[in-house]
Amino acid sequence: MANKIKVTIWNEFRHEMHLEAVRKLYPEGMHKAIGAGIKADDLEIGYAVLDEPEHGLTEAVVNSTDVLIWWGHCAHAEVADEIVRRIHKRVLEGMGLIVLHSAHFSKIFQALTGTNCSLKWREAAEKERLWNIEPAHPITQGIGEYFELPYTEMYGERFDIPQDGKIIFMSWFEGGEVFRSGVTFERGHGKIFYFRPGHETYPIFYNPDVLKVIGNAVRWARPLLFAEHTAPNVKPLEKISPKEADFGVAGIVQQVEL
Ligand code: ZN
């Protein structure tokens, strides 16, 4: 199929290495489980992890990625600022970004939102019901009025994100909290989707609804154009009439000496 969407799935890939319970759930890493789960003819999927040189996100990789999926948790601080700047620039130029679960605290999400992205949390294997509040949105196609995850980590409000985010999913948790679980943003030419599910000790990235949403989000975030941001000094399109006063280059009326 021509014009496949180039997807890069980035994973911190540390819990899978160090925690037996996580390794059992995701023997090849969460990135590979997500990739297998969203696999389709219109997607060309690549992978990158933190411990690769440049975190697997070289200029060549970033500049050929249409949509970047990001999972991080315990090593946000280890992501080099230079790589964050590279991704930030590319998002503003048009690259889509899907930020999963604990990546709410990633440097790239904080940089793009301009907020702290803090929230409440609790690990008690509780039930979560994600309400689909934008059923006409491309990201929620194939999802009913709501879907449920039987065992999740709780994230609760207040979630410190900017108010220009469009809320796609709203979660209710067994313990009583609510959370904006699916939120879209636009920055520059790029589209961003934050999606809450994905704690490493639960089989979240095998859930068909979660995978359906991520797959939909990839297609929604696909760039319609890539364009560098420049600030050119331009010639007028029309002839500008002469003015009686001379405003000078700074727009200030020139003092005339008498
Ligand atoms: Zn978590």
Side-chain angles (χ1 to χ4, degrees):
M1 187 176 167
N3 292 323
K4 288 189 179 201
I5 305 174
K6 289 182 181 154
V7 184
T8 301
I9 307 178
W10 189 89
N11 183 11
E12 183 181 278
F13 200 34
R14 289 280 174 84
H15 293 311
E16 296 95 326
M17 310 290 272
H18 304 306
L19 295 169
E20 180 58 29
V22 181
R23 190 164 44 238
K24 259 187 165 164
L25 267 178
Y26 298 108
E28 291 180 78
M30 281 178 274
H31 51 306
K32 293 288 177 69
I34 295 166
I38 65 170
K39 190 172 178 287
D41 288 345
D42 61 334
L43 307 182
E44 187 182 316
I45 298 172
Y47 302 96
V49 300
L50 179 67
D51 289 329
E52 289 177 83
E54 300 184 53
H55 313 320
L57 298 170
T58 59
E59 287 274 4
V61 169
V62 172
N63 291 344
S64 64
T65 295
D66 292 317
V67 180
L68 178 63
I69 298 177
W70 194 273
W71 195 101
H73 182 220
C74 63
H76 296 314
E78 291 181 45
V79 177
D81 291 339
E82 186 198 340
I83 306 298
V84 176
R85 277 194 294 274
R86 180 180 294 166
I87 299 164
H88 186 271
K89 177 172 182 284
R90 197 59 180 160
V91 169
L92 299 185
E93 289 172 355
M95 183 174 73
L97 178 69
I98 296 167
V99 176
L100 297 172
H101 188 61
S102 42
H104 69 93
F105 260 163
S106 61
K107 286 181 181 178
I108 185 60
F109 191 53
Q110 289 177 326
L112 285 161
T113 57
T115 53
N116 182 64
C117 307
S118 52
L119 46 79
K120 288 180 191 149
W121 63 282
R122 171 176 63 237
E123 237 185 297
E126 65 199 276
K127 179 168 152 179
E128 173 180 8
R129 182 176 297 131
L130 293 98
W131 288 92
N132 170 4
I133 62 172
E134 291 297 344
H137 197 280
I139 290 179
T140 59
Q141 296 315 293
I143 301 293
E145 192 178 15
Y146 62 82
F147 70 95
E148 293 180 344
L149 298 171
Y151 309 105
T152 58
E153 178 188 24
M154 185 282 293
Y155 277 7
E157 297 283 349
R158 185 178 177 264
F159 185 19
D160 185 40
I161 52 172
Q163 287 294 333
D164 67 314
K166 184 181 174 81
I167 304 166
I168 307 295
F169 290 104
M170 176 67 84
S171 279
W172 165 90
F173 290 89
E174 201 175 342
E177 287 85 358
V178 295
F179 190 75
R180 287 167 285 172
S181 272
V183 188
T184 66
F185 299 92
E186 291 180 26
R187 293 292 183 269
H189 303 308
K191 299 193 194 80
I192 301 159
F193 180 53
Y194 174 78
F195 191 43
R196 195 211 81 86
H199 189 64
E200 67 277 4
T201 58
Y202 305 114
I204 304 288
F205 293 125
Y206 297 111
N207 179 284
D209 289 315
V210 168
L211 294 166
K212 169 73 111 177
V213 169
I214 295 172
N216 287 349
V218 164
R219 291 161 182 105
W220 167 81
R222 175 187 205 167
L224 298 179
L225 75 97
F226 278 111
E228 255 191 86
H229 292 273
T230 57
N233 180 249
V234 296
K235 295 266 185 288
L237 296 177
E238 316 294 341
K239 188 170 164 38
I240 297 170
S241 61
K243 302 295 184 293
E244 284 176 19
D246 176 7
F247 288 89
V249 288
I252 297 165
V253 178
Q254 300 294 296
Q255 296 291 321
V256 181
E257 283 188 41
L258 295 171

